[in-house]
Amino acid sequence: MSETAAPVPAVSHITSRPRSARISLAALQIVLGLFYAIASALPKLIAHPSAVEAFDKLGWGHTGMYVIGALELAGGIALLVPLLDSVAAVALSALMVGAFIVNVTVIHGPYVATPLILILPLALIAWARRSHTTELLRLVRRRA
């Protein structure tokens, strides 16, 4: 009897990490997505008095508050969409850089380090899901 070799399936970028790492990364994305959508964007979008006060202090008014809230909501949702998660993490990181600068230069509040702390898991997501950005670019180029 001769032995036949079974074809070895190609390992995709999704399965190249251990299962526990994939689950942890997905959980991190869910937690951050919910944080940005509910804890961060919602107070701005419903014009909670604390958000109104903060944006009035900045001189950005309701318009700035709604724009930032909408960006955070879009980023939070996009973190949960596989093809958009890496791009969303980069965009939210850029938003957090702006939040840090505003906190340091204008607000001088007790939460100056919060945006910098949030950049760390966002950077991890952006790096770990970078292949999704490649896929997204491929799709966009194909349609163009």
Side-chain angles (χ1 to χ4, degrees), residues 36-63:
Y36 277 104
I38 296 170
S40 193
L42 188 61
K44 295 171 183 80
L45 295 175
I46 65 169
H48 188 273
S50 63
V52 171
E53 180 184 337
F55 279 87
D56 283 345
K57 183 177 180 179
L58 290 171
W60 295 0
H62 283 65
T63 303

Side-chain angles (χ1 to χ4, degrees), residues 26 29-34 37 75-85 88:
Q29 286 179 238
I30 291 168
V31 168
L32 281 176
L34 291 174
I77 292 169
L79 276 176
L80 306 176
V81 178
L83 210 54
L84 301 175
D85 51 8

Side-chain angles (χ1 to χ4, degrees), residues 52-116:
V52 171
E53 180 184 337
F55 279 87
D56 283 345
K57 183 177 180 179
L58 290 171
W60 295 0
H62 283 65
T63 303
M65 180 179 65
Y66 292 133
V67 168
I68 298 295
L71 290 172
E72 289 176 342
L73 179 62
I77 292 169
L79 276 176
L80 306 176
V81 178
L83 210 54
L84 301 175
D85 51 8
S86 180
V87 174
V90 170
L92 286 169
S93 294
L95 197 62
M96 291 301 98
V97 168
F100 173 73
I101 292 169
V102 167
N103 272 306
V104 168
T105 59
V106 179
I107 296 177
H108 309 292
Y111 305 110
V112 172
T114 303
L116 292 180

Side-chain angles (χ1 to χ4, degrees), residues 2-26:
S2 67
E3 293 182 33
T4 58
V8 178
V11 178
S12 72
H13 67 278
I14 295 173
T15 59
S16 63
R17 288 187 192 87
R19 185 172 190 261
S20 59
R22 290 191 318 269
I23 292 170
S24 297
L25 189 60

